[in-house]
Amino acid sequence: MRKVNFFQSIHLKFVLIYVLLIALAMQIIGVYFVRELEQTLLENFKSSIEDRMSPLEYSITREIETDLSGERSDDEPSLQQSIQVLLGGLNSEDIEEVRIIDARNRVLGTSDDNNATVVGQRMNNELLQRMFIEGAPPPDNLNETYVDRESGERMWVLAMPLVSGSDVIGAIHVESRIENVYSQMDEINGILAGGTAISLVITAILGVLLAQTITRPIADMRSHAVDMAKGNFSRKVKVYGHDEIGQLAITFNNLTKRLQEARVTTEAEKRKLSSVLSYMTDGVIATDRRGRVILINDPAAGMLNVSRETVLSMSLPELLGIEDEYSFDDLSSQSDSLILNFGTQAKPYILRANFSAIQKETGFVSGLIAVLHDITEQEKIDAERREFVANVSHELRTPLTTMRSYLEALAEGAWQDEEIAPQFLHTTQTETERMIRLVNDLLQLSKMDSRDYRLNKEWVNFIAFYQRIIDRFDMGRSQDVSFKVKLPKEPVYVEIDTDKMTQVLDNIISNALKYSPEGGQIGFKVELKEREKEMVVSVSDQGVGIPRENLKNIFERFYRVDKARTRQLGGTGLGLAIAKEMITAHGGQIWASSVENRGTKIFFTLPYDPESEDEWA
């Protein structure tokens, strides 16, 4: 997270708000104060001028009345002289000039000695004309303010009527310097502006200090929030007080503690879920509400032969290869399992998919969970079980049908025929022995499948053991078949169950004799592989051989390459299957190689430790 610029920080905003509020308050107070002060000063100025003119008004009125009544004697001063005496000394800092005007607008006197030439002249003044025309109007209409063109100062003009009875006999025209009042106001405004500036500076400093009491805890909480976003929950926010921000800091610390506990719980649950998803044999795929893959565990990736990086955000129907048949909505409402066949004719591969929608309380589907299970082996077992039942039924039905036919014939009177009866009884006996062998083989396979048997192992010189079995078959054979034996001269001791191993060799050699043509040869060989610590035993014939596509199936139960010929030779189809189970129980392996019309070779291995030979030497 980038650092906050000072000009964008809440600190500056607090100070600006504080300063602007103070400045606004000062401006409002200043405007109100200046306006009221200015009005008061102006009123005081005008009142003082009027008060100073009141005695003069009375004296001038008496002089004009005396002059108009003719009571003035010759030895008394004239009206102009009397007025001039009264006006003497009126000039001051505030009063510019005072003029006395008679009823005919003539200047009777002036207080400005430098302007004595205006005495006796008519004075054309709009204010005076309005006064003489209207009589004695209200005082507000007898004053005005103007700006002197020469000095640029504001002047206040006052016209005071001289009334005798009900007649206006003259007027006092006063010009005063009201600019002094405005100068005082300018000085006061300057003082107020300076005081405002000082107040704002002090306010800004106090605002910074006060803002820190708010911004410091907020900055600490911001820093702590950044650390929390990075996963660090060990810090705590300092509590600076018990006000609202202090309560916020305490709540923030409690929130941090709760989040830490929740994170620990979440991490634990996440590890559990990850462990479950990783070690479960079923594949699990999760999608979002649009059907895009957001999670896939290793078993699912392995089942579909994909990588996590390539399937994330892929559509689930597309991933499963069913986009032409099903949409995401179809899978969300799919209650039954789907069977996905990814196999070929040579290699079957079948998956079963179950789907479960992730729904909120409102019923809105927010995702989908798909569980994949590899049922290839199960399907194979089911197929083998069905085939096994069919083969057993077929193998039992054939001798039973034959026996029933012969027994029915005997029951109908054939037993009285001395030539046919013995033949029918011999056939019945043969089929009975065949069924007994089949049932015994099945019982033996059943025991081996259930592991309900024990090997009675003992140390045996396998070369001598193998040679005895070969000699037994050599002496009892009725076919024109030769034996070729290639065995080590020195004894080789292995730990085996002689009964089980005898059965293995009997089954393999019997098959070789059955399928060997007249004049053929059967080979017996033992090869020692000291590096691999195993012994390889092989039996070969020169029969019809086995097609390559059928070679891998000959160790399966009831499997026959040529069923008609095998049944004719009396086989049950379980000999090699029993041999495989017994060799596997001894810790070895069994396999075959064959070339059509040239013969078949059966191999099996047994564990062999060369170092143990010294103990038996």
Side-chain angles (χ1 to χ4, degrees):
M1 184 180 292
R2 65 182 183 88
K3 186 178 181 180
V4 178
N5 191 346
F6 174 76
F7 295 100
Q8 297 176 342
S9 65
I10 192 173
H11 197 111
L12 179 62
K13 294 177 182 178
F14 269 119
V15 174
L16 288 177
I17 292 172
Y18 192 50
V19 170
L20 289 175
L21 288 175
I22 297 299
L24 179 62
M26 294 293 292
Q27 288 297 320
I28 294 175
I29 294 173
V31 169
Y32 177 78
F33 173 75
V34 169
R35 187 188 66 180
E36 294 296 325
L37 180 62
E38 180 180 2
Q39 185 176 355
T40 301
L41 290 177
L42 289 175
E43 290 178 355
N44 291 338
F45 179 83
K46 294 176 181 179
S47 297
S48 65
I49 296 299
E50 291 176 354
D51 291 342
R52 291 173 64 182
M53 292 299 109
S54 294
L56 181 63
E57 176 188 3
Y58 176 76
S59 299
I60 296 299
T61 301
R62 299 277 76 79
E63 291 294 335
I64 293 176
E65 288 177 346
T66 302
D67 188 71
L68 290 176
S69 62
E71 295 178 359
R72 186 181 300 276
S73 60
D74 295 335
D75 54 351
E76 291 181 358
S78 63
L79 178 61
Q80 287 81 3
Q81 290 176 346
S82 298
I83 290 173
Q84 199 64 36
V85 172
L86 293 172
L87 294 176
L90 284 177
N91 290 339
S92 65
E93 185 178 354
D94 296 332
I95 298 176
E96 177 70 20
E97 182 181 8
V98 179
R99 292 181 183 181
I100 305 302
I101 311 300
D102 60 9
R104 292 177 293 179
N105 281 339
R106 288 186 307 168
V107 179
L108 299 177
T110 178
S111 62
D112 186 4
D113 296 336
N114 297 326
N115 199 19
T117 56
V118 299
V119 176
Q121 298 182 2
R122 294 180 63 85
M123 184 175 179
N124 295 322
N125 188 285
E126 182 180 356
L127 190 62
L128 294 174
Q129 290 177 359
R130 187 169 66 248
M131 183 190 67
F132 287 125
I133 293 173
E134 296 178 1
D140 292 340
N141 294 331
L142 299 179
N143 63 84
E144 64 180 2
T145 302
Y146 74 95
V147 178
D148 186 31
R149 295 180 179 179
E150 295 181 0
S151 62
E153 295 181 352
R154 280 166 286 197
M155 306 295 291
W156 184 63
V157 178
L158 174 63
M160 296 181 65
L162 301 176
V163 181
S164 175
S166 59
D167 298 328
V168 178
I169 59 175
I172 300 176
H173 185 272
V174 183
E175 290 186 2
S176 58
R177 301 184 186 92
I178 201 172
E179 185 68 28
N180 293 335
V181 176
Y182 290 103
S183 298
Q184 292 178 4
M185 289 303 304
D186 291 339
E187 292 178 2
I188 293 172
N189 287 333
I191 294 172
L192 185 61
T196 301
I198 294 173
S199 299
L200 291 178
V201 171
I202 297 174
T203 300
I205 296 173
L206 293 176
V208 171
L209 297 178
L210 292 175
Q212 285 182 350
T213 61
I214 300 176
T215 58
R216 186 185 296 114
I218 295 177
D220 289 346
M221 283 185 277
R222 174 184 175 276
S223 176
H224 184 50
V226 172
D227 292 339
M228 288 173 58
K230 296 178 180 179
N232 181 13
F233 293 90
S234 59
R235 286 185 53 194
K236 285 189 176 181
V237 178
K238 183 178 179 181
V239 180
Y240 291 92
H242 297 283
D243 54 1
E244 288 83 354
I245 296 180
Q247 294 297 322
L248 177 61
I250 294 173
T251 306
F252 197 87
N253 290 332
N254 293 333
L255 175 63
T256 302
K257 183 178 179 181
R258 295 290 182 87
L259 286 176
Q260 186 176 11
E261 294 174 353
R263 185 191 178 193
V264 171
T265 304
T266 303
E267 290 293 332
E269 295 297 328
K270 184 178 179 181
R271 285 192 296 269
K272 291 179 183 178
L273 178 60
S274 177
S275 178
V276 169
L277 291 178
S278 298
Y279 290 100
M280 67 186 302
T281 57
D282 292 341
V284 178
I285 303 173
T287 71
D288 59 11
R289 61 185 180 88
R290 297 182 179 178
R292 295 175 298 188
V293 177
I294 58 176
L295 182 145
I296 181 170
N297 65 348
D298 291 336
M303 290 178 183
L304 299 175
N305 194 23
V306 295
S307 62
R308 291 185 179 182
E309 293 75 13
T310 57
V311 302
L312 292 179
S313 298
M314 183 184 293
S315 171
L316 180 60
E318 180 183 358
L319 175 61
L320 299 180
I322 56 175
E323 65 274 13
D324 295 335
E325 302 175 10
Y326 297 91
S327 65
F328 176 72
D329 294 335
D330 295 334
L331 296 181
S332 300
S333 58
Q334 182 72 24
S335 58
D336 298 329
S337 301
L338 288 183
I339 303 301
L340 308 175
N341 191 348
F342 295 101
T344 60
Q345 186 175 2
K347 185 179 180 181
Y349 186 53
I350 302 174
L351 299 179
R352 183 178 63 220
N354 294 313
F355 302 96
S356 176
I358 305 174
Q359 291 183 331
K360 296 183 178 180
E361 295 180 356
T362 58
F364 177 76
V365 177
S366 59
L368 189 67
I369 298 293
V371 180
L372 305 180
H373 183 64
D374 187 354
I375 59 172
T376 305
E377 192 64 27
Q378 180 180 347
E379 289 292 322
K380 182 180 178 182
I381 292 173
D382 291 341
E384 289 178 352
R385 183 183 296 111
R386 291 190 295 269
E387 184 179 1
F388 176 78
V389 172
N391 288 332
V392 170
S393 301
H394 184 73
E395 292 295 334
L396 290 175
R397 183 178 60 184
T398 301
L400 287 173
T401 303
T402 303
M403 290 173 61
R404 184 180 66 177
S405 300
Y406 281 99
L407 290 174
E408 288 177 353
L410 290 173
E412 292 175 356
W415 62 274
Q416 297 178 356
D417 191 332
E418 295 180 357
E419 293 182 2
I420 298 177
Q423 184 180 354
F424 281 9
L425 291 174
H426 177 71
T427 302
T428 303
Q429 184 179 5
T430 302
E431 295 297 331
T432 301
E433 291 176 352
R434 179 182 170 190
M435 286 191 295
I436 291 173
R437 288 196 305 270
L438 177 62
V439 172
N440 288 335
D441 288 344
L442 290 174
L443 289 174
Q444 189 169 10
L445 282 173
S446 177
K447 286 184 178 181
M448 300 183 76
D449 287 340
S450 63
R451 298 295 187 264
D452 187 20
Y453 71 98
R454 296 177 60 185
L455 295 177
N456 298 318
K457 290 185 177 182
E458 57 180 321
W459 288 97
V460 177
N461 181 2
F462 188 82
I463 304 302
F465 170 76
Y466 193 18
Q467 186 64 57
R468 286 195 300 271
I469 294 176
I470 296 172
D471 292 342
R472 175 164 53 84
F473 276 95
D474 189 15
M475 293 177 62
R477 73 178 185 271
S478 59
Q479 299 170 257
D480 183 14
V481 178
S482 61
F483 284 6
K484 182 180 180 181
V485 181
K486 186 177 181 181
L487 304 178
K489 295 181 179 181
E490 66 277 5
V492 178
Y493 288 89
V494 293
E495 190 178 15
I496 60 174
D497 185 328
T498 54
D499 291 338
K500 298 294 188 296
M501 194 56 59
T502 299
Q503 187 177 1
V504 170
L505 292 172
D506 284 351
N507 288 337
I508 296 175
I509 297 173
S510 296
N511 284 338
L513 287 171
K514 288 177 184 178
Y515 295 102
S516 292
E518 293 292 332
Q521 185 183 75
I522 297 177
F524 304 92
K525 184 179 179 181
V526 173
E527 183 180 0
L528 302 178
K529 293 185 177 182
E530 297 183 0
R531 179 176 296 178
E532 289 81 5
K533 293 184 177 182
E534 65 181 12
M535 176 177 61
V536 181
V537 182
S538 63
V539 178
S540 62
D541 62 56
Q542 294 179 345
V544 294
I546 302 172
R548 179 177 297 179
E549 63 272 13
N550 299 330
L551 192 61
K552 62 181 180 179
N553 300 321
I554 64 173
F555 294 99
E556 296 179 2
R557 301 171 186 183
F558 294 107
Y559 184 82
R560 298 185 179 92
V561 178
D562 187 350
K563 296 184 179 181
R565 185 167 183 263
T566 303
R567 189 173 292 110
Q568 183 181 0
L569 294 174
T572 62
L574 298 175
L576 291 180
I578 294 173
K580 179 181 178 182
E581 295 291 341
M582 291 182 176
I583 292 298
T584 303
H586 279 81
Q589 296 179 343
I590 188 169
W591 70 95
S593 65
S594 180
V595 178
E596 285 191 78
N597 301 319
R598 293 185 61 183
T600 303
K601 195 171 186 179
I602 305 295
F603 301 86
F604 68 86
T605 63
L606 290 174
Y608 159 70
D609 188 1
E611 298 179 359
S612 64
E613 292 297 316
D614 297 337
E615 300 178 5
W616 303 94

mmCIF file of all heavy atoms in Angstrom, residues 168-203:
data_model
loop_
_atom_site.group_PDB
_atom_site.id
_atom_site.type_symbol
_atom_site.label_atom_id
_atom_site.label_comp_id
_atom_site.label_asym_id
_atom_site.label_seq_id
_atom_site.Cartn_x
_atom_site.Cartn_y
_atom_site.Cartn_z
ATOM 1 N N VAL A 168 -38.329 80.097 6.601
ATOM 2 C CA VAL A 168 -36.890 79.793 6.526
ATOM 3 C C VAL A 168 -36.201 81.069 6.076
ATOM 4 O O VAL A 168 -36.404 81.536 4.946
ATOM 5 C CB VAL A 168 -36.608 78.639 5.554
ATOM 6 C CG1 VAL A 168 -35.116 78.390 5.471
ATOM 7 C CG2 VAL A 168 -37.327 77.381 5.991
ATOM 8 N N ILE A 169 -35.414 81.645 6.961
ATOM 9 C CA ILE A 169 -34.796 82.936 6.660
ATOM 10 C C ILE A 169 -33.341 82.779 6.255
ATOM 11 O O ILE A 169 -32.660 83.770 5.919
ATOM 12 C CB ILE A 169 -34.886 83.843 7.891
ATOM 13 C CG1 ILE A 169 -34.187 83.195 9.080
ATOM 14 C CG2 ILE A 169 -36.345 84.157 8.207
ATOM 15 C CD1 ILE A 169 -34.135 84.087 10.311
ATOM 16 N N GLY A 170 -32.854 81.532 6.275
ATOM 17 C CA GLY A 170 -31.466 81.312 5.892
ATOM 18 C C GLY A 170 -31.082 79.864 6.157
ATOM 19 O O GLY A 170 -31.898 79.012 6.496
ATOM 20 N N ALA A 171 -29.770 79.623 6.002
ATOM 21 C CA ALA A 171 -29.287 78.254 6.212
ATOM 22 C C ALA A 171 -27.822 78.286 6.575
ATOM 23 O O ALA A 171 -27.087 79.225 6.250
ATOM 24 C CB ALA A 171 -29.493 77.411 4.962
ATOM 25 N N ILE A 172 -27.402 77.261 7.269
ATOM 26 C CA ILE A 172 -25.987 77.047 7.585
ATOM 27 C C ILE A 172 -25.505 75.876 6.725
ATOM 28 O O ILE A 172 -26.063 74.771 6.779
ATOM 29 C CB ILE A 172 -25.772 76.735 9.072
ATOM 30 C CG1 ILE A 172 -26.279 77.895 9.945
ATOM 31 C CG2 ILE A 172 -24.317 76.439 9.345
ATOM 32 C CD1 ILE A 172 -26.178 77.592 11.428
ATOM 33 N N HIS A 173 -24.526 76.140 5.895
ATOM 34 C CA HIS A 173 -23.968 75.105 5.004
ATOM 35 C C HIS A 173 -22.608 74.692 5.557
ATOM 36 O O HIS A 173 -21.679 75.499 5.594
ATOM 37 C CB HIS A 173 -23.834 75.680 3.586
ATOM 38 C CG HIS A 173 -23.384 74.658 2.578
ATOM 39 N ND1 HIS A 173 -22.066 74.397 2.325
ATOM 40 C CD2 HIS A 173 -24.111 73.825 1.774
ATOM 41 C CE1 HIS A 173 -21.959 73.472 1.392
ATOM 42 N NE2 HIS A 173 -23.226 73.108 1.040
ATOM 43 N N VAL A 174 -22.506 73.433 6.003
ATOM 44 C CA VAL A 174 -21.286 72.931 6.661
ATOM 45 C C VAL A 174 -20.657 71.838 5.773
ATOM 46 O O VAL A 174 -21.330 70.892 5.363
ATOM 47 C CB VAL A 174 -21.586 72.381 8.058
ATOM 48 C CG1 VAL A 174 -20.297 71.930 8.737
ATOM 49 C CG2 VAL A 174 -22.305 73.432 8.890
ATOM 50 N N GLU A 175 -19.377 71.959 5.518
ATOM 51 C CA GLU A 175 -18.595 70.916 4.853
ATOM 52 C C GLU A 175 -17.564 70.374 5.850
ATOM 53 O O GLU A 175 -16.734 71.142 6.338
ATOM 54 C CB GLU A 175 -17.882 71.469 3.616
ATOM 55 C CG GLU A 175 -18.839 71.809 2.477
ATOM 56 C CD GLU A 175 -18.079 72.204 1.213
ATOM 57 O OE1 GLU A 175 -16.824 72.174 1.246
ATOM 58 O OE2 GLU A 175 -18.725 72.505 0.198
ATOM 59 N N SER A 176 -17.666 69.070 6.147
ATOM 60 C CA SER A 176 -16.761 68.467 7.141
ATOM 61 C C SER A 176 -15.980 67.311 6.510
ATOM 62 O O SER A 176 -16.426 66.658 5.547
ATOM 63 C CB SER A 176 -17.580 67.953 8.340
ATOM 64 O OG SER A 176 -18.543 67.014 7.913
ATOM 65 N N ARG A 177 -14.824 67.067 7.094
ATOM 66 C CA ARG A 177 -13.938 65.986 6.586
ATOM 67 C C ARG A 177 -14.322 64.652 7.262
ATOM 68 O O ARG A 177 -13.790 64.303 8.302
ATOM 69 C CB ARG A 177 -12.490 66.310 6.872
ATOM 70 C CG ARG A 177 -12.023 67.625 6.258
ATOM 71 C CD ARG A 177 -10.532 67.811 6.525
ATOM 72 N NE ARG A 177 -10.087 69.112 6.082
ATOM 73 C CZ ARG A 177 -10.041 70.200 6.842
ATOM 74 N NH1 ARG A 177 -10.447 70.109 8.114
ATOM 75 N NH2 ARG A 177 -9.621 71.327 6.362
ATOM 76 N N ILE A 178 -15.231 63.915 6.601
ATOM 77 C CA ILE A 178 -15.635 62.611 7.146
ATOM 78 C C ILE A 178 -14.644 61.503 6.815
ATOM 79 O O ILE A 178 -14.747 60.364 7.289
ATOM 80 C CB ILE A 178 -17.047 62.264 6.617
ATOM 81 C CG1 ILE A 178 -17.714 61.227 7.536
ATOM 82 C CG2 ILE A 178 -16.975 61.751 5.170
ATOM 83 C CD1 ILE A 178 -19.173 60.997 7.194
ATOM 84 N N GLU A 179 -13.648 61.849 5.966
ATOM 85 C CA GLU A 179 -12.612 60.869 5.591
ATOM 86 C C GLU A 179 -11.859 60.376 6.805
ATOM 87 O O GLU A 179 -11.347 59.251 6.820
ATOM 88 C CB GLU A 179 -11.654 61.497 4.578
ATOM 89 C CG GLU A 179 -10.605 60.542 4.021
ATOM 90 C CD GLU A 179 -11.213 59.454 3.140
ATOM 91 O OE1 GLU A 179 -12.271 59.694 2.523
ATOM 92 O OE2 GLU A 179 -10.633 58.341 3.076
ATOM 93 N N ASN A 180 -11.776 61.243 7.835
ATOM 94 C CA ASN A 180 -11.057 60.832 9.051
ATOM 95 C C ASN A 180 -11.720 59.599 9.687
ATOM 96 O O ASN A 180 -11.044 58.730 10.245
ATOM 97 C CB ASN A 180 -11.038 61.994 10.051
ATOM 98 C CG ASN A 180 -10.201 63.159 9.528
ATOM 99 O OD1 ASN A 180 -9.313 62.976 8.709
ATOM 100 N ND2 ASN A 180 -10.504 64.371 9.992
ATOM 101 N N VAL A 181 -13.065 59.594 9.596
ATOM 102 C CA VAL A 181 -13.767 58.427 10.155
ATOM 103 C C VAL A 181 -13.395 57.167 9.391
ATOM 104 O O VAL A 181 -13.110 56.110 9.978
ATOM 105 C CB VAL A 181 -15.281 58.658 10.126
ATOM 106 C CG1 VAL A 181 -16.017 57.404 10.606
ATOM 107 C CG2 VAL A 181 -15.655 59.860 10.955
ATOM 108 N N TYR A 182 -13.342 57.259 8.077
ATOM 109 C CA TYR A 182 -12.981 56.084 7.264
ATOM 110 C C TYR A 182 -11.518 55.703 7.452
ATOM 111 O O TYR A 182 -11.156 54.513 7.369
ATOM 112 C CB TYR A 182 -13.283 56.369 5.793
ATOM 113 C CG TYR A 182 -14.767 56.436 5.498
ATOM 114 C CD1 TYR A 182 -15.408 57.666 5.321
ATOM 115 C CD2 TYR A 182 -15.526 55.270 5.413
ATOM 116 C CE1 TYR A 182 -16.771 57.734 5.060
ATOM 117 C CE2 TYR A 182 -16.895 55.342 5.150
ATOM 118 C CZ TYR A 182 -17.506 56.561 4.967
ATOM 119 O OH TYR A 182 -18.866 56.616 4.717
ATOM 120 N N SER A 183 -10.678 56.704 7.710
ATOM 121 C CA SER A 183 -9.273 56.380 7.998
ATOM 122 C C SER A 183 -9.160 55.591 9.294
ATOM 123 O O SER A 183 -8.381 54.630 9.389
ATOM 124 C CB SER A 183 -8.454 57.675 8.085
ATOM 125 O OG SER A 183 -8.476 58.361 6.857
ATOM 126 N N GLN A 184 -9.933 56.033 10.285
ATOM 127 C CA GLN A 184 -9.948 55.272 11.534
ATOM 128 C C GLN A 184 -10.457 53.838 11.306
ATOM 129 O O GLN A 184 -9.930 52.874 11.881
ATOM 130 C CB GLN A 184 -10.836 55.988 12.554
ATOM 131 C CG GLN A 184 -10.266 57.307 13.040
ATOM 132 C CD GLN A 184 -11.210 57.995 14.015
ATOM 133 O OE1 GLN A 184 -12.249 57.447 14.388
ATOM 134 N NE2 GLN A 184 -10.842 59.217 14.422
ATOM 135 N N MET A 185 -11.463 53.728 10.422
ATOM 136 C CA MET A 185 -11.974 52.385 10.126
ATOM 137 C C MET A 185 -10.923 51.531 9.415
ATOM 138 O O MET A 185 -10.804 50.315 9.668
ATOM 139 C CB MET A 185 -13.233 52.472 9.250
ATOM 140 C CG MET A 185 -14.455 53.002 9.998
ATOM 141 S SD MET A 185 -14.865 52.035 11.454
ATOM 142 C CE MET A 185 -15.037 50.418 10.760
ATOM 143 N N ASP A 186 -10.146 52.140 8.536
ATOM 144 C CA ASP A 186 -9.075 51.393 7.871
ATOM 145 C C ASP A 186 -8.044 50.905 8.878
ATOM 146 O O ASP A 186 -7.550 49.760 8.797
ATOM 147 C CB ASP A 186 -8.406 52.267 6.799
ATOM 148 C CG ASP A 186 -9.335 52.536 5.621
ATOM 149 O OD1 ASP A 186 -10.297 51.748 5.443
ATOM 150 O OD2 ASP A 186 -9.089 53.497 4.871
ATOM 151 N N GLU A 187 -7.717 51.765 9.842
ATOM 152 C CA GLU A 187 -6.775 51.348 10.872
ATOM 153 C C GLU A 187 -7.354 50.204 11.710
ATOM 154 O O GLU A 187 -6.653 49.229 12.033
ATOM 155 C CB GLU A 187 -6.437 52.541 11.765
ATOM 156 C CG GLU A 187 -5.637 53.628 11.055
ATOM 157 C CD GLU A 187 -5.357 54.810 11.957
ATOM 158 O OE1 GLU A 187 -5.768 54.751 13.149
ATOM 159 O OE2 GLU A 187 -4.748 55.781 11.488
ATOM 160 N N ILE A 188 -8.622 50.366 12.024
ATOM 161 C CA ILE A 188 -9.271 49.299 12.813
ATOM 162 C C ILE A 188 -9.315 47.991 12.004
ATOM 163 O O ILE A 188 -9.069 46.896 12.535
ATOM 164 C CB ILE A 188 -10.668 49.745 13.242
ATOM 165 C CG1 ILE A 188 -10.565 50.903 14.234
ATOM 166 C CG2 ILE A 188 -11.454 48.583 13.845
ATOM 167 C CD1 ILE A 188 -11.892 51.541 14.584
ATOM 168 N N ASN A 189 -9.629 48.115 10.691
ATOM 169 C CA ASN A 189 -9.635 46.915 9.840
ATOM 170 C C ASN A 189 -8.264 46.267 9.766
ATOM 171 O O ASN A 189 -8.124 45.034 9.752
ATOM 172 C CB ASN A 189 -10.119 47.261 8.435
ATOM 173 C CG ASN A 189 -11.617 47.522 8.386
ATOM 174 O OD1 ASN A 189 -12.364 46.998 9.213
ATOM 175 N ND2 ASN A 189 -12.060 48.319 7.432
ATOM 176 N N GLY A 190 -7.219 47.107 9.694
ATOM 177 C CA GLY A 190 -5.860 46.564 9.681
ATOM 178 C C GLY A 190 -5.538 45.820 10.960
ATOM 179 O O GLY A 190 -4.927 44.738 10.941
ATOM 180 N N ILE A 191 -5.947 46.445 12.079
ATOM 181 C CA ILE A 191 -5.714 45.782 13.374
ATOM 182 C C ILE A 191 -6.481 44.467 13.450
ATOM 183 O O ILE A 191 -5.958 43.436 13.902
ATOM 184 C CB ILE A 191 -6.118 46.728 14.524
ATOM 185 C CG1 ILE A 191 -5.194 47.946 14.551
ATOM 186 C CG2 ILE A 191 -6.076 45.987 15.858
ATOM 187 C CD1 ILE A 191 -5.640 49.027 15.526
ATOM 188 N N LEU A 192 -7.750 44.528 12.958
ATOM 189 C CA LEU A 192 -8.554 43.321 12.979
ATOM 190 C C LEU A 192 -7.976 42.242 12.062
ATOM 191 O O LEU A 192 -7.965 41.046 12.416
ATOM 192 C CB LEU A 192 -9.986 43.653 12.547
ATOM 193 C CG LEU A 192 -11.002 42.510 12.629
ATOM 194 C CD1 LEU A 192 -11.134 42.029 14.067
ATOM 195 C CD2 LEU A 192 -12.364 42.979 12.106
ATOM 196 N N ALA A 193 -7.480 42.643 10.869
ATOM 197 C CA ALA A 193 -6.878 41.675 9.946
ATOM 198 C C ALA A 193 -5.627 41.061 10.549
ATOM 199 O O ALA A 193 -5.391 39.852 10.451
ATOM 200 C CB ALA A 193 -6.560 42.348 8.614
ATOM 201 N N GLY A 194 -4.794 41.929 11.200
ATOM 202 C CA GLY A 194 -3.601 41.389 11.852
ATOM 203 C C GLY A 194 -3.950 40.413 12.963
ATOM 204 O O GLY A 194 -3.323 39.351 13.106
ATOM 205 N N GLY A 195 -4.971 40.818 13.755
ATOM 206 C CA GLY A 195 -5.396 39.922 14.821
ATOM 207 C C GLY A 195 -5.948 38.611 14.274
ATOM 208 O O GLY A 195 -5.708 37.527 14.833
ATOM 209 N N THR A 196 -6.682 38.727 13.148
ATOM 210 C CA THR A 196 -7.213 37.511 12.519
ATOM 211 C C THR A 196 -6.084 36.607 12.031
ATOM 212 O O THR A 196 -6.122 35.379 12.199
ATOM 213 C CB THR A 196 -8.133 37.880 11.356
ATOM 214 O OG1 THR A 196 -9.205 38.704 11.842
ATOM 215 C CG2 THR A 196 -8.704 36.638 10.697
ATOM 216 N N ALA A 197 -5.072 37.214 11.399
ATOM 217 C CA ALA A 197 -3.935 36.428 10.898
ATOM 218 C C ALA A 197 -3.214 35.727 12.045
ATOM 219 O O ALA A 197 -2.865 34.542 11.959
ATOM 220 C CB ALA A 197 -2.974 37.325 10.123
ATOM 221 N N ILE A 198 -2.982 36.482 13.120
ATOM 222 C CA ILE A 198 -2.302 35.869 14.280
ATOM 223 C C ILE A 198 -3.169 34.749 14.856
ATOM 224 O O ILE A 198 -2.674 33.670 15.217
ATOM 225 C CB ILE A 198 -2.007 36.955 15.337
ATOM 226 C CG1 ILE A 198 -0.988 37.966 14.787
ATOM 227 C CG2 ILE A 198 -1.479 36.313 16.609
ATOM 228 C CD1 ILE A 198 -0.757 39.162 15.693
ATOM 229 N N SER A 199 -4.475 35.029 14.910
ATOM 230 C CA SER A 199 -5.383 34.002 15.439
ATOM 231 C C SER A 199 -5.370 32.751 14.567
ATOM 232 O O SER A 199 -5.373 31.624 15.067
ATOM 233 C CB SER A 199 -6.800 34.557 15.525
ATOM 234 O OG SER A 199 -6.851 35.673 16.385
ATOM 235 N N LEU A 200 -5.327 32.963 13.229
ATOM 236 C CA LEU A 200 -5.309 31.809 12.332
ATOM 237 C C LEU A 200 -4.019 31.011 12.458
ATOM 238 O O LEU A 200 -4.023 29.778 12.380
ATOM 239 C CB LEU A 200 -5.506 32.264 10.883
ATOM 240 C CG LEU A 200 -6.898 32.801 10.538
ATOM 241 C CD1 LEU A 200 -6.946 33.263 9.086
ATOM 242 C CD2 LEU A 200 -7.966 31.740 10.782
ATOM 243 N N VAL A 201 -2.890 31.718 12.635
ATOM 244 C CA VAL A 201 -1.614 31.015 12.821
ATOM 245 C C VAL A 201 -1.659 30.170 14.091
ATOM 246 O O VAL A 201 -1.284 28.992 14.110
ATOM 247 C CB VAL A 201 -0.442 32.008 12.852
ATOM 248 C CG1 VAL A 201 0.845 31.301 13.257
ATOM 249 C CG2 VAL A 201 -0.274 32.667 11.488
ATOM 250 N N ILE A 202 -2.127 30.825 15.168
ATOM 251 C CA ILE A 202 -2.233 30.088 16.431
ATOM 252 C C ILE A 202 -3.228 28.927 16.291
ATOM 253 O O ILE A 202 -2.997 27.818 16.785
ATOM 254 C CB ILE A 202 -2.645 31.045 17.564
ATOM 255 C CG1 ILE A 202 -1.557 32.112 17.777
ATOM 256 C CG2 ILE A 202 -2.898 30.278 18.847
ATOM 257 C CD1 ILE A 202 -1.940 33.188 18.777
ATOM 258 N N THR A 203 -4.331 29.236 15.569
ATOM 259 C CA THR A 203 -5.334 28.183 15.353
ATOM 260 C C THR A 203 -4.751 27.020 14.557
ATOM 261 O O THR A 203 -5.022 25.851 14.846
ATOM 262 C CB THR A 203 -6.544 28.775 14.615
ATOM 263 O OG1 THR A 203 -7.110 29.827 15.398
ATOM 264 C CG2 THR A 203 -7.588 27.700 14.362
#
